């Protein structure tokens, strides 16, 4: 499992380790990687970069499959600087493909609905749709996906792609909408809503996302792409209102700020293909968000050190002029 110390990867490692699988985690431990996410979870750890062939070979020794969670994942950071995104999400994916080819192993590429770009109201993206990424992040993920498909076609590599929607739950680094706003609300800090806040995202709980990836890893067909949606499309302002309610916070904390550059208005996935094979999301957003807020309330020791470290520099760069602070 690459990127197994991040938000979704760590939940996946826990899921497999709990089921008795033996798991090797390859992680570079970037700002988003956190060893504490695997506390109490049985695994073998290798620190390294997925774009480093030697590290990949060392970690991959004896593995029958690789699930690639490792990525630079935050759209706002990709707008500030895209270099690491291209390094990890494109070059890193290529190195893993070369490993899978030589080792005759399966590679599951964990991708995102963002590769399809904006989706008009009333429409949903199917796996056959063209990729029209809008941000440097989604363009780098699309580049990784295209490398996967080319290695399937040209070299017969046994690789598959999942494209998940916006994922939430415990252990998510507090830079994405939900954990950022929950932790800001607890501290009485402003919630910076980009533009009018009417952008639509489809929310998927991390446990449902992991169940889908495991299903595809075990039962998916090589060369196929599988959309993984949460069947829960909401405007950002609706999500923000629920967060305020669950955190007992004042709605005066909401601040409409300058919009994100190139901001996608709406994502929507048609997940019919995976549904027809037997997977469907199980968590409803109301209880999933309630449980997530409770986790952040009880785990200040997990997020407080993050928000007081190098993170502050990023926060200043991203929000200071928007908030006029
Ligand atoms: P994350 O940012 O929380 O974690 C990424 C992990 O990858 C970290 O542990 C980091 O240290 C590691 N990493 C980064 N660069 C690396 C490199 N070069 N070599 C080795 N390890 C490296 O990410 P996440 O939110 O858990 O996302 C996991 C995957 O799921 C990503 O591929 C992402 O594109 C995809 N995805 C995420 C979401 C979401 O909403 N979070 C939705 C759909 C798809
Ligand atoms: P995010 O969690 O960054 O995920 P993505 O951009 O990959 O979908 O953002 C989710 C939505 O929330 C997106 O429309 C951007 C918006 N957003 C804000 O309004 N303010 C913020 O500070 C952040 C981080 C996101």
């Amino acid at each position: 499992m690459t990127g197994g110390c991040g938000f979704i990867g760590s939940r996946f490692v826990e899921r497999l380790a709990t089921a008795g699988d033996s798991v090797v985690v390859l992680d570079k431990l970037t700002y988003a990687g956190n060893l504490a996410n695997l506390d109490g979870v049985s695994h073998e750890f290798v620190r390294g970069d997925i774009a480093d062939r030697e590290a990949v070979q060392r970690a991959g020794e004896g593995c029958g499959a690789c699930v690639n969670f490792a990525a630079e994942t935050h759209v706002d950071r990709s707008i500030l600087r895209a270099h690491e995104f291209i390094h990890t999400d494109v070059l890193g994916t290529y190195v893993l493909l070369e490993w899978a080819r030589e080792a005759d192993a399966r590679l599951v590429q964990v991708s995102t609905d963002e590769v399809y770009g904006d989706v008009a109201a009333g429409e949903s993206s199917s796996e056959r749709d063209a990729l029209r990424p809008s941000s440097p992040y989604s363009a780098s993920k699309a580049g990784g996906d295209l490398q996967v498909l080319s290695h399937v076609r040209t070299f017969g590599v046994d690789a598959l792609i999942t494209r998940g929607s916006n994922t939430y739950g415990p252990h998510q680094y507090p830079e994405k909408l939900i954990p950022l706003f929950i932790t800001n609300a607890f501290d009485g800090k402003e919630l910076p809503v980009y533009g009018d806040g009417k952008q639509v995202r489809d929310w998927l709980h991390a446990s449902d996302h992991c169940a889908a990836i495991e299903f595809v890893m075990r039962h998916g067909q090589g060369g196929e792409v599988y959309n993984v949606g949460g069947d829960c499309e909401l405007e950002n302002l609706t999500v923000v209102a629920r967060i305020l309610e669950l955190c007992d916070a004042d709605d005066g904390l909401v601040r409409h700020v300058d919009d994100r550059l190139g901001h996608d208005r709406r994502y929507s996935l048609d997940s019919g293909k995976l549904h027809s094979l037997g997977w469907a999301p199980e968590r409803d957003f109301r209880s999933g968000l309630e449980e997530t807020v409770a986790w952040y309330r009880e785990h200040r020791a997990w997020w407080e050190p993050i928000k007081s470290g190098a993170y502050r520099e990023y926060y200043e760069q991203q929000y200071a002029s928007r908030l006029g602070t």
Side-chain angles (χ1 to χ4, degrees), residues 130-205:
L131 306 189
R132 298 184 194 281
S134 312
S135 71
Y137 161 63
S138 51
S140 71
K141 292 295 291 184
D145 285 14
L146 294 178
Q147 285 299 323
V148 171
L149 296 174
S150 76
H151 277 67
V152 169
R153 165 97 185 230
T154 305
F155 304 114
V157 172
D158 179 23
L160 323 83
I161 298 172
T162 60
R163 295 194 179 130
S165 61
N166 279 66
T167 304
Y168 73 99
H171 301 270
Q172 188 170 25
Y173 190 88
E175 65 186 352
K176 308 276 169 69
L177 178 77
I178 288 184
L180 173 66
F181 280 25
I182 292 173
T183 53
N184 275 12
F186 283 154
D187 286 347
K189 291 193 176 134
E190 290 145 317
L191 310 186
V193 171
Y194 296 151
D196 64 5
K198 295 193 174 186
Q199 303 83 3
V200 173
R201 296 293 184 266
D202 172 26
W203 294 99
L204 172 69
H205 194 278

Side-chain angles (χ1 to χ4, degrees), residues 179-313:
L180 173 66
F181 280 25
I182 292 173
T183 53
N184 275 12
F186 283 154
D187 286 347
K189 291 193 176 134
E190 290 145 317
L191 310 186
V193 171
Y194 296 151
D196 64 5
K198 295 193 174 186
Q199 303 83 3
V200 173
R201 296 293 184 266
D202 172 26
W203 294 99
L204 172 69
H205 194 278
S207 64
D208 281 327
H209 197 163
C210 289
I213 294 166
E214 182 179 2
F215 185 89
V216 167
M217 178 185 82
R218 298 197 192 283
H219 309 295
Q221 202 174 320
E224 292 292 315
V225 178
Y226 299 91
N227 285 346
V228 185
D231 294 339
C232 177
E233 289 178 29
L234 296 171
E235 284 188 356
N236 290 343
L237 283 178
T238 307
V239 175
V240 173
R242 290 203 190 157
I243 289 173
L244 285 167
E245 194 187 317
L246 289 167
C247 295
D248 296 320
D250 194 305
D251 58 11
L253 292 178
V254 173
R255 287 278 303 277
H256 285 268
V257 300
D258 284 353
D259 208 347
R260 173 187 278 172
L261 298 176
H263 199 169
D264 279 331
R265 196 71 184 159
R266 174 172 177 262
Y267 298 131
S268 177
L269 283 178
D270 174 349
S271 308
K273 182 171 170 181
L274 209 45
H275 290 179
S276 70
L277 295 172
W279 173 88
E282 289 177 355
R283 300 298 308 267
D284 73 282
F285 188 68
R286 191 165 284 280
S287 71
L289 188 63
E290 199 176 322
E291 174 217 80
T292 303
V293 169
W295 188 88
Y296 282 92
R297 184 177 279 120
E298 286 154 20
H299 291 81
R300 268 188 179 268
W302 183 90
W303 57 265
E304 264 182 350
I306 295 174
K307 289 190 91 171
S308 62
Y311 177 93
R312 285 171 76 119
E313 213 175 290

Side-chain angles (χ1 to χ4, degrees), residues 6-8 27-28 30 33 49-50 73 88 111 137 141 165 167:
F7 162 48
I8 308 171
D27 198 300
K28 188 177 176 181
T30 67
D49 187 332
I50 60 164
T73 62
T88 296
S111 188
Y137 161 63
K141 292 295 291 184
S165 61
T167 304

